[in-house]
Amino acid sequence: MLGPDKNGEFKEVTVKTIHCWKVHVKEISSGQIAAIALKLSEETKVWLGSKSIWKGMVLVNDIDPKACWSFSAEVWPLNGET
């Protein structure tokens, strides 16, 4: 699933290939840098429009993903040089 858009919707896409450091791989994990070739359905192409894929979108392996626009957190700054 690819998304979210401004309405929090996700659309189904098919991953054609994944390359990590110019090497073809079958899967990647969170935090890895990779190039991913996607196959988009006609419905997804219309949904994306001329904007293509924009900053903040994610590719997830979940049947019913939910978008989160804000959250609360308790932050504890660390002492020392960072």
Side-chain angles (χ1 to χ4, degrees), residues 56-78:
M57 293 184 103
V58 294
L59 190 62
V60 295
N61 186 19
D62 192 353
I63 296 171
D64 190 26
K66 301 280 189 254
C68 176
W69 301 112
S70 65
F71 61 92
S72 297
E74 187 173 331
V75 179
W76 292 79
L78 300 174

Side-chain angles (χ1 to χ4, degrees), residues 11-30:
K11 294 292 181 184
E12 190 170 335
V13 295
T14 303
V15 176
K16 291 173 25 177
T17 61
I18 305 172
H19 286 86
C20 189
W21 296 104
K22 298 182 182 180
V23 176
H24 179 76
V25 294
K26 291 186 178 187
E27 62 183 36
I28 54 174
S29 299
S30 177

Side-chain angles (χ1 to χ4, degrees), residues 76-82:
W76 292 79
L78 300 174
N79 293 331
E81 295 180 31
T82 56

Side-chain angles (χ1 to χ4, degrees), residues 48-61:
L48 284 172
S50 61
K51 298 174 193 158
S52 192
I53 298 171
W54 56 87
K55 190 176 186 177
M57 293 184 103
V58 294
L59 190 62
V60 295
N61 186 19

